[in-house]
Amino acid sequence: MTITNTETAATPVSKVPRLPEELVNSTAFLLKRLGFVSKDRSISAYDAMGLHPYHHAVLAVLEAGPPETQASIADTLGYDRGQLVGLLDELEEKGLLERRRDPDDRRRHIVSLTPAGKKTLAKLRATADRLEEELLAPLTSAERAELHGLLRKLAEQHLPQCSTLPRP
Amino acid sequence: MTITNTETAATPVSKVPRLPEELVNSTAFLLKRLGFVSKDRSISAYDAMGLHPYHHAVLAVLEAGPPETQASIADTLGYDRGQLVGLLDELEEKGLLERRRDPDDRRRHIVSLTPAGKKTLAKLRATADRLEEELLAPLTSAERAELHGLLRKLAEQHLPQCSTLPRP
DNA sequence: TATTGTTATACTCTATAACTATA
DNA sequence: TATAGTTATAGAGTATAACAATA
């Protein structure tokens, strides 16, 4: 195990060997790793409530927007439509939303939040806030705003669904 | 399909429905999504060379540090040791590194770069640089430095392997 | 008995594409 | 014929644990 120690004999031994500068100096690398741990932690946290971040996203779409069909939900979140079916099944079984046929087009389902769904969404929000606080703990308030602004700029370019269109 | 349009009739129709503010306002959410697209694109780019970002990381560790065993490489990168075996098999088969038994402990393999491995690493670096440039295109040079510094602070806290220990 | 590297197994995700019912 | 939702299947990726050689 001593072979993994990259410190000199005089310096305190770190149990965890350091990543090469080449990787740590890459913003993309840090983004990938931090995104991974963030995802990992949120999955664990939501799992304790029997849900997944995907479920939160679906509920958030339902509360934010006009009545949605399954196709519009999937498109908004960038999810596969087949994948969404299972998510909706789980949320419906828990009584957090309901599907009803669109009378104007009986192929479609109009999906809407139930009161229980809104309550659960509030809880998920609290969990998300806690996770966000943990993630950003090392940063000052100004730094957090700065980081968010920079990520927004990247999202504008790379995540079309995040683009802030000029509103009327 | 018109039901997915969240714009009013007077505004130009965006093909991609917008994500709810609740999600876009979350730094963790942006981090996860941007990390995902970044990972996705790098996998595609490396795939064109018959390699994977994992391979780049392994080669970078070998060039940066002292002679490594398989266990030390895995620990440095946070990879599973079983997973690493396959990666090393592929790299060895391409002649980019070699394994030889450690005479002091015949259970161990000392892994080292070949000249071909160094050449390939240079190519992978060029690819990584190009991907980084694409990712950060929307930012000025100052903003890039700012973003990297902020992510470093987060990494310090959340990615122990990235922590910058005081050097002698 | 513990550790290094290896292999095998199983499980989760995801992507694809059939299938139905409606249009 | 095309679309909305559903279901089934296969593939990649990952995690777990059994295994042989050596300490």
Side-chain angles (χ1 to χ4, degrees), chain A:
Chain A
M1 187 81 42
T2 58
I3 200 171
T4 67
N5 179 15
T6 59
E7 309 300 313
T8 70
T11 53
V13 174
S14 63
K15 300 294 285 206
V16 185
R18 280 203 59 199
L19 287 163
E21 285 296 319
E22 170 171 359
L23 300 179
V24 181
N25 284 339
S26 159
T27 299
F29 179 84
L30 294 180
L31 209 57
K32 284 187 277 186
R33 286 263 171 156
L34 287 167
F36 181 81
V37 307
S38 191
K39 176 183 146 196
D40 215 43
R41 290 180 192 172
S42 59
I43 289 176
S44 297
Y46 283 79
D47 191 51
M49 295 182 279
L51 292 171
H52 188 282
Y54 288 150
H55 295 120
H56 184 174
V58 171
L59 297 178
V61 168
L62 292 176
E63 199 199 41
E68 304 269 359
T69 65
Q70 298 189 193
S72 70
I73 297 170
D75 290 348
T76 299
L77 294 172
Y79 295 170
D80 179 85
R81 295 183 188 189
Q83 182 193 7
L84 185 65
V85 173
L87 293 173
L88 293 181
D89 287 347
E90 290 152 2
L91 290 167
E92 192 173 31
E93 193 182 358
K94 290 175 186 289
L96 305 183
L97 56 77
E98 50 185 24
R99 289 187 261 211
R100 63 175 205 280
R101 289 227 167 268
D102 181 349
D104 295 342
D105 183 341
R106 289 187 45 73
R107 291 172 304 182
R108 293 179 168 169
H109 284 159
I110 306 285
V111 185
S112 54
L113 272 185
T114 64
K118 287 190 187 176
K119 281 182 65 175
T120 296
L121 179 55
K123 282 186 202 155
L124 296 178
R125 232 169 239 151
T127 298
D129 288 348
R130 179 172 58 72
L131 289 167
E132 182 107 345
E133 173 58 37
E134 281 174 25
L135 174 71
L136 302 179
L139 303 186
T140 67
S141 175
E143 287 171 330
R144 295 177 189 200
E146 181 76 22
L147 175 61
H148 193 263
L150 292 168
L151 294 180
R152 280 291 286 248
K153 282 197 184 178
L154 294 186
E156 201 83 28
Q157 179 83 19
H158 301 293
L159 308 174
Q161 291 154 327
C162 286
S163 77
T164 49
L165 301 166
R167 291 305 205 147

